[in-house]
Amino acid sequence: MQQLGYLKETPSQTAGPYVHIGLTPNFCDISGVYDTDLGIGMVDDKTLGERITVTGRIFDGAGALVRDAVIEIWQADSAGLYN
């Protein structure tokens, strides 16, 4: 019997393949949900703190690249506080 080599899936993979529609409805021509899509104005020239870039790739349980995924992160502000 051939081993398929499945990767371990995480519980958060229950959102479905349409995550971008919920986060960017204006971009998807769905109006009336948000005035502006989430994440559009998170950082500007007045935002304090060090800028970092996080890069990576998301794979499904079979090892195929996932093109519509969201990684949720939480970061304190420059004073070490959460809103």
Side-chain angles (χ1 to χ4, degrees), residues 2-61:
Q2 179 182 0
Q3 292 284 337
L4 295 178
Y6 286 105
L7 302 174
K8 184 177 179 183
E9 295 184 14
T10 62
S12 63
Q13 290 177 323
T14 59
Y18 307 108
V19 175
H20 71 278
I21 293 172
L23 297 178
T24 57
N26 295 303
F27 179 77
C28 299
D29 294 325
I30 301 171
S31 61
V33 180
Y34 306 117
D35 292 335
T36 59
D37 289 335
L38 300 177
I40 295 295
M42 293 174 51
V43 177
D44 60 25
D45 293 341
K46 297 177 185 174
T47 306
L48 301 176
E50 179 182 353
R51 306 299 192 264
I52 64 170
T53 301
V54 178
T55 61
R57 297 182 294 169
I58 306 296
F59 297 93
D60 68 10

Side-chain angles (χ1 to χ4, degrees), residues 55-74:
T55 61
R57 297 182 294 169
I58 306 296
F59 297 93
D60 68 10
L65 184 63
V66 176
R67 297 188 184 276
D68 186 12
V70 170
I71 298 176
E72 185 174 324
I73 62 169
W74 294 88

